[in-house]
Amino acid sequence: MKLILLGAPGAGKGTVAKLLTTIDGSVQISTGDILRGAVQTGSELGKEAEAYMKRGDLVPDSLIMGIMEKRLQESDCQKGFLLDGFPRTIPQAEALKELLAKLDITLDMAVNIDVPKDVILDRLCTRRTCENTECQAIYNVKSSPTKQEGICDKCGSAVIQRDDETEEAISHRLQTYNDKTAPLIGFYEKEGLLKTVSGTSSDTVVQELKAPLGF
Ligand code: AMP
């Protein structure tokens, strides 16, 4: 399957993407995960992106398109991909449209995961992420805690609160989402690709998507 996952920070895009990968071997491509990996390893990309990310601002479109142009041509994308956190702006969506046309790739759907704002805020404040860049498993201190406090169930690394998950950064990220990313819902509606699903439970989202995707 070839999907774009849209939704505010904390809507569950990453969780839904991980569940969908188990259906047909499509890969999850999270620009946020790629950027956090780059920051941790201290690469040039990481150095350029770090300050934007800490503030909860978007990284410049040109950097993101550079990452995605390479990533979409890697062989594991042939089975399918789930774009998680990309595109984030109208210029990114337009550049993606051109890139996909050039690579002769057709999208199945842009899924808008719709979650009430109070649920989003609660989820982001209680979310914890595995710090191992190869893992980045997501937990929640209330609804899905680690078995051993602070230790990732999957890889044993430390589970932390992200730098951009302080109250101030969260509120900035939500504002950025409203200003820059929410307009993509209209963009994909016009393209005839939009499907909106209620995202209060990620399992339900996946169940709702299976039939329209032919699984
Ligand atoms: P995420 O894990 O998707 O919430 O992304 C974390 C941070 O990475 C965002 O707040 C942005 O600073 C940056 N980021 C991730 N994806 C993008 C993107 N497509 N465009 C611009 N910045 C991005």
Side-chain angles (χ1 to χ4, degrees):
M1 61 183 94
K2 297 184 176 80
L3 296 189
I4 293 175
L5 297 170
L6 297 173
K13 299 183 295 294
T15 307
V16 168
K18 285 190 176 70
L19 291 169
L20 290 172
T21 58
T22 63
I23 295 178
D24 72 344
S26 297
V27 287
Q28 174 190 12
I29 304 179
S30 156
T31 40
D33 284 354
I34 295 171
L35 291 167
R36 278 185 290 281
V39 169
Q40 254 194 24
T41 54
S43 68
E44 274 312 306
L45 170 67
K47 282 182 204 148
E48 283 192 66
E50 190 169 14
Y52 295 99
M53 295 174 74
K54 267 209 167 135
R55 287 195 300 269
D57 277 332
L58 292 180
V59 170
D61 292 337
S62 55
L63 277 187
I64 298 290
M65 290 317 300
I67 297 173
M68 288 308 298
E69 182 151 8
K70 274 199 217 123
R71 184 65 186 92
L72 283 171
Q73 294 184 70
E74 285 170 21
S75 59
D76 61 346
C77 290
Q78 274 169 8
K79 271 198 172 173
F81 50 77
L82 307 150
L83 302 184
D84 159 12
F86 168 84
R88 265 314 218 272
T89 62
I90 294 281
Q92 287 182 20
E94 279 165 350
L96 175 65
K97 190 175 167 183
E98 258 180 50
L99 176 61
L100 292 176
K102 189 174 91 180
L103 301 176
D104 202 17
I105 295 173
T106 309
L107 287 174
D108 295 315
M109 216 184 265
V111 180
N112 174 33
I113 307 177
D114 190 31
V115 180
K117 198 175 167 207
D118 55 329
V119 177
I120 292 273
L121 277 175
D122 188 52
R123 274 191 194 167
L124 288 176
C125 295
T126 51
R127 180 155 83 173
R128 299 292 181 270
T129 308
C130 172
E131 71 168 0
N132 172 4
T133 51
E134 302 294 315
C135 177
Q136 303 205 34
I138 296 165
Y139 299 92
N140 184 290
V141 289
K142 284 195 207 158
S143 57
S144 60
T146 50
K147 290 193 184 105
Q148 205 184 329
E149 203 184 320
I151 305 290
C152 178
D153 295 350
K154 295 195 176 114
C155 75
S157 303
V159 165
I160 53 157
Q161 184 160 26
R162 279 167 39 177
D163 275 354
D164 62 356
E165 284 176 355
T166 60
E167 230 174 287
E168 201 186 342
I170 288 171
S171 104
H172 192 59
R173 282 165 68 205
L174 290 176
Q175 190 60 47
T176 305
Y177 169 78
N178 285 334
D179 296 345
K180 306 247 171 81
T181 309
L184 295 184
I185 296 171
F187 180 94
Y188 286 110
E189 192 163 28
K190 275 202 201 119
E191 297 282 311
L193 285 170
L194 187 73
K195 177 165 176 66
T196 294
V197 286
S198 160
T200 316
S201 144
S202 298
D203 285 325
T204 315
V205 172
V206 171
Q207 287 314 319
E208 260 193 64
L209 291 177
K210 274 189 178 167
L213 288 168
F215 291 102

